[in-house]
């Protein structure tokens, strides 16, 4: 059974492209509030669960031991744009644990932000610090140091840090993440496939603390507040995750992952959200998340108007002419 | 009816993303050799028909009058990467007609090639010449000058150049392209939606000259040879279109368009090809084109091995680790 078309891309008077996918909105007890498409098929959450991967950073004692502030914690949960303050923040995280960029094993790429990449090219060159995952990796390195284990190889599945991350993901999703569910992420750490309904439940637990032990509950709350209060550090200038949390603060936690995945939480409603576009399209996943927020979260007029351009993004060409738009379909209504 | 899944993206042992779409392989008489999915639905061909849009450049007499060489003609058919020789070639085209970059109305963007963009940032800034469509626009401007009409506004549907392009597209596709089929392309010129079966037939006519008058047939042959013999000018370093034509020369003409469209021709077989990925994914459209070539065109061993990495591209992460692959499905077998 094909998943339904969730987002249409129009050009002129016609639909130019169509994005199919699935989404689950679930509470912390696992009760499904909304399920569209196949929510039982395992999906690699990629970077959309960075905040769950970062639980280990808190629970290992590293965040306190190395005096990481909330911006550092937001960076540990981030797919950042590689803008200067992101890079400086990650370098600082490493320095607090007595490390530097040479310890990072995420690989090097130029900043996701084109303005940041072009500005960097004028004065320097890309390093692993500019990798959008460098904050997550710095968090893993801090955790390794606090755990008193050799930090080299921190990205391997058998390393103590990744074993702790794996256990946290199993606990949060309520699923067994067996080795056949494991693949290698873009930054080389393991990514574990789980059904959307389980990912959504994990996010509901993350957003509310329900179903978590006291230590894990405190760690989740600390990370969630760090992200909601420092949304620029979770993504960057003009990015969807940043704009949503700048608009709604801690009322909505949202996080993108590669290949059209998105996770989110609406704490006051006790809900978690997980989205996967079949084709991997981030533009469609963003519109779906905006639609879920607009549907479920009571919004003030200013919040609703601030959300409008994310809910129905206009497409403009290189001359600024409006050429089309994205719109969610009735499958989401 | 959903179009079938044509390409799967794997990660580890699982399928991570899926691309649906349709394709038509048709001869110049309109006889269908292969049709998968809905080939009757109108599709915006975007840049995949730049060579058809460039017929007017030849037929207006502009190519001869302004002594354009085959590299210039390839640039007129190109979505180029904005590398220095692309930019220089377009500037030369404009100079031959007594114009300069200020006449271009395609808008400005940084080079599609990240290395070219970063190198440019170190020494200068992007201009309209770096827009991937600048060669097409330079061709329109040359045509306007040769036609003796005011070149300003050459991108508007009512301008003589775009009316001539529209007539050429109707002739080549064998369809009426009414105003409700028109939208604005990324570079502001009109794009006209036509069914894949008609686009494929247009490419078969372009590739063979069959069904064309003598003047149009000569123009098509000249453009096809210019592209096949100068494939770097049609796209750029490491780009799919360039690699295919570097490998197969004039045996295969291929051209990408935005939003997952691809057109091609296999002249020795008399066939035209048109592909649309429903979701707009270029990566999948490329794999489909490679699969169609591998299926229909008799290949030498060296050609087959040269095609392998385009037919089943390996996905590597920022550390060079193989994390997955693209593969075409049995729907294409």
């Amino acid at each position: 059974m094909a998943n339904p078309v969730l987002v249409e891309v129009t050009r002129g008077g016609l639909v130019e492209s169509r994005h199919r996918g699935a989404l689950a909105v679930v509470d912390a007890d696992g009760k499904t509030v909304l399920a569209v498409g196949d929510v039982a098929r395992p999906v690699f959450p990629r970077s959309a669960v960075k905040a769950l991967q970062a639980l280990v950073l808190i629970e290992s004692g590293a965040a306190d031991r190395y005096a990481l502030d909330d911006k550092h914690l937001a960076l540990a949960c981030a797919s950042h744009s590689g803008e200067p303050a992101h890079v400086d923040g990650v370098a600082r995280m490493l320095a607090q644990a007595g490390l530097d960029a040479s310890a990072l094993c995420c690989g090097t790429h130029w900043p996701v932000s084109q303005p940041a990449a072009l500005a960097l090219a004028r004065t320097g060159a890309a390093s692993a610090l500019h990798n959008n995952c460098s904050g997550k990796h710095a968090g893993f390195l801090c955790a390794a140091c606090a755990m008193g284990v050799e930090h080299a190889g921190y990205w391997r599945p058998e390393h103590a840090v990744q074993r702790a991350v794996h256990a946290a993901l199993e606990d949060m999703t309520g699923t067994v993440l067996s080795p056949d569910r494991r693949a290698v992420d873009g930054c080389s750490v393991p990514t574990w496939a789980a059904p959307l309904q389980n990912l959504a439940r994990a996010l509901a637990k993350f957003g509310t603390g329900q179903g978590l032990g006291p230590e894990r509950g405190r760690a989740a709350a600390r990370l969630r507040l760090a992200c909601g209060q420092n949304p620029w550090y979770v993504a960057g200038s003009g990015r969807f995750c940043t704009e949503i949390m700048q608009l709604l603060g801690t009322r909505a936690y949202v996080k993108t992952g590669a290949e059209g995945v998105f996770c989110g939480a609406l704490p006051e409603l006790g809900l978690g959200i997980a989205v996967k576009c079949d084709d991997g399209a981030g533009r469609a996943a963003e519109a779906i998340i905006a639609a879920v927020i607009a549907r479920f979260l009571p919004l003030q007029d200013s919040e609703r108007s601030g959300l409008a351009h994310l809910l129905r993004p206009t497409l403009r060409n290189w001359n600024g002419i409006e050429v089309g738009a994205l719109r969610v379909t009735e499958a989401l209504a």
Side-chain angles (χ1 to χ4, degrees), chain A:
Chain A
M1 254 287 279
N3 282 328
V5 174
L6 299 181
V7 175
E8 293 175 332
V9 183
T10 63
R11 180 170 296 263
L14 300 177
V15 174
E16 181 167 32
S17 296
R18 293 161 178 82
H19 297 286
R20 292 173 183 274
L23 81 153
V25 182
V26 175
D27 73 14
D29 296 325
K31 180 166 160 271
T32 297
V33 174
L34 176 67
V36 179
D38 185 349
V39 298
R41 181 163 69 191
V43 163
F44 290 116
R46 310 291 301 275
S47 291
V49 292
K50 274 176 173 165
L52 308 185
Q53 293 169 301
L55 288 167
V56 172
L57 173 63
I58 312 287
E59 295 170 6
S60 66
D64 291 331
R65 179 161 177 179
Y66 302 121
L68 302 184
D69 65 23
D70 279 357
K71 293 182 173 64
H72 298 144
L73 297 184
L75 281 167
C77 302
S79 297
H80 67 71
S81 291
E83 297 174 81
H86 297 130
V87 173
D88 293 347
V90 175
R92 184 78 195 165
M93 291 174 73
L94 293 167
Q96 299 283 90
L99 300 172
D100 62 26
S102 67
L104 291 171
C105 295
C106 47
T108 294
H109 65 69
W110 286 82
V112 168
S113 155
Q114 190 183 56
L118 296 171
L120 178 62
R122 293 183 189 107
T123 58
S127 74
L129 290 170
H130 299 92
N131 186 307
N132 76 90
C133 299
S134 66
K136 177 179 72 175
H137 280 247
F140 289 150
L141 283 160
C142 288
C145 292
M147 291 161 77
V149 299
E150 171 60 57
H151 66 75
Y154 69 88
W155 55 278
R156 296 183 186 278
E158 61 274 18
H159 189 278
V161 167
Q162 297 306 329
R163 290 206 315 271
V165 168
H166 176 254
L169 290 171
E170 285 197 326
D171 172 54
M172 297 297 285
T173 59
T175 47
V176 176
L177 300 172
S178 49
D180 59 313
R181 297 283 189 87
R182 189 181 78 210
V184 181
D185 212 327
C187 63
S188 295
V189 303
T191 180
W192 300 90
L196 290 177
Q197 59 197 6
N198 295 80
L199 291 169
R201 184 177 182 187
L203 268 289
K205 290 157 76 176
F206 175 75
T208 61
Q210 289 173 35
L212 304 181
E215 186 193 11
R216 180 149 289 173
R218 281 193 299 274
R222 187 169 168 188
L223 290 169
R224 184 165 60 78
L225 292 176
C227 292
Q229 292 170 351
N230 299 278
W232 185 85
Y233 284 88
V234 177
S237 306
R239 294 269 304 278
F240 180 88
C241 293
T242 296
E243 286 203 25
I244 288 285
M245 292 190 284
Q246 281 175 339
L247 183 69
L248 300 170
T250 54
R251 298 187 68 201
Y253 169 80
V254 294
K255 181 66 188 73
T256 187
E259 291 291 331
V261 176
F262 239 100
C263 283
L266 302 175
E268 72 195 56
L269 303 177
L271 299 177
I273 310 163
V275 171
K276 164 74 182 177
C277 281
D278 292 353
D279 53 66
R283 64 180 180 183
E286 290 179 356
I288 295 164
I289 286 285
V292 171
I293 290 172
R295 172 168 168 178
F296 287 98
L297 199 63
L299 296 174
Q300 297 180 335
D301 286 350
S302 62
E303 292 171 330
R304 189 163 293 280
S305 62
L307 194 64
H309 74 288
L310 302 173
L311 187 58
R312 197 174 185 285
T314 299
L315 301 178
R316 294 183 182 278
N317 75 3
W318 296 112
N319 286 318
I321 298 171
E322 183 172 333
V323 294
L326 266 68
R327 64 184 184 205
V328 297
T329 67
E330 291 191 354
L332 278 173

